[in-house]
Amino acid sequence: MPIAIKNSIIDISSEDTTKELARDFSNYLIGGEVIFLYGEMGVGKTTFVKYLINQFQINKKFQITEVTSPTFNLLNEYELDNLVIKHYDLFRLKDKSEVKNLDLFDKNRSTITLIEWPELIKKEKFKKTIDLTFSYENELNNRSIKIDGLD
């Protein structure tokens, strides 16, 4: 499946399609990327992140681990040799001041940062972001994703 690059919308209604897209998307990431994941609760953000992290684990010959939402602890971190994947879930944050203590603005080239619920963050704090916008369609029967900022 070709990955959407500019303003394309991909149907991810099936979990297999979500897994395949995460696999393809992983090929574009080398470290240093900041990825904002937008969308309603239950639309597939964490499922996508799970398959993305699992793909990096497969590529680096690590054991596949369970990937859960960091809703209560705000951050789950995965170390894969010289690559660190930080998965943030900011759903519980209520104020922009709470973002300051999260080490989100570390510009480490060996880190991929995934941020669910990034609405409290000023995008200009980052040199470049990739936006993944997850949506429900067809009266919640289908799901789609739009990818912006991937060159």
Side-chain angles (χ1 to χ4, degrees):
M1 165 190 2
I3 194 165
I5 302 287
K6 295 183 180 169
N7 301 323
S8 296
I9 296 174
I10 299 173
D11 184 323
I12 57 166
S13 298
S14 84
E15 196 163 336
D16 287 340
T17 305
T18 303
K19 183 177 183 178
E20 189 177 332
L21 179 62
R23 183 193 67 223
D24 292 348
F25 186 72
S26 74
N27 294 324
Y28 288 85
L29 306 177
I30 57 172
E33 296 88 3
V34 177
I35 302 159
F36 286 179
L37 295 99
Y38 296 95
E40 296 177 53
M41 192 168 294
V43 76
K45 298 181 300 290
T46 301
T47 300
F48 179 84
V49 168
K50 171 182 87 167
Y51 287 125
L52 181 65
I53 290 170
N54 287 163
Q55 187 60 48
F56 277 102
Q57 290 169 329
I58 290 167
N59 291 350
K60 294 191 172 279
K61 297 182 177 25
F62 275 68
Q63 181 178 347
I64 292 177
T65 61
E66 183 177 359
V67 174
T68 59
S69 176
T71 301
F72 295 103
N73 55 345
L74 302 178
L75 168 65
N76 288 339
E77 199 168 298
Y78 303 85
E79 293 188 29
L80 304 165
D81 287 334
N82 59 345
L83 178 68
V84 175
I85 301 175
K86 292 183 176 184
H87 177 203
Y88 291 91
D89 185 329
L90 307 183
F91 180 75
R92 292 181 36 234
L93 298 185
K94 303 297 180 220
D95 187 82
K96 291 180 183 181
S97 66
E98 296 177 277
V99 172
K100 292 178 185 174
N101 299 327
L102 294 179
D103 197 26
L104 283 171
F105 307 109
D106 179 19
K107 293 179 174 83
N108 191 333
R109 298 289 305 156
S110 62
T111 300
I112 295 172
T113 304
L114 306 164
I115 306 171
E116 293 188 49
W117 304 98
E119 288 79 2
L120 289 176
I121 299 172
K122 292 183 179 182
K123 288 184 93 168
E124 57 270 10
K125 293 269 189 183
F126 300 99
K127 186 175 183 180
K128 181 178 183 294
T129 60
I130 300 168
D131 293 343
L132 304 182
T133 305
F134 294 76
S135 301
Y136 283 113
E137 314 223 345
N138 190 21
E139 297 182 19
L140 307 180
N141 292 316
N142 299 89
R143 298 171 185 178
S144 65
I145 185 173
K146 181 178 175 188
I147 301 173
D148 290 308
L150 188 61
D151 297 327

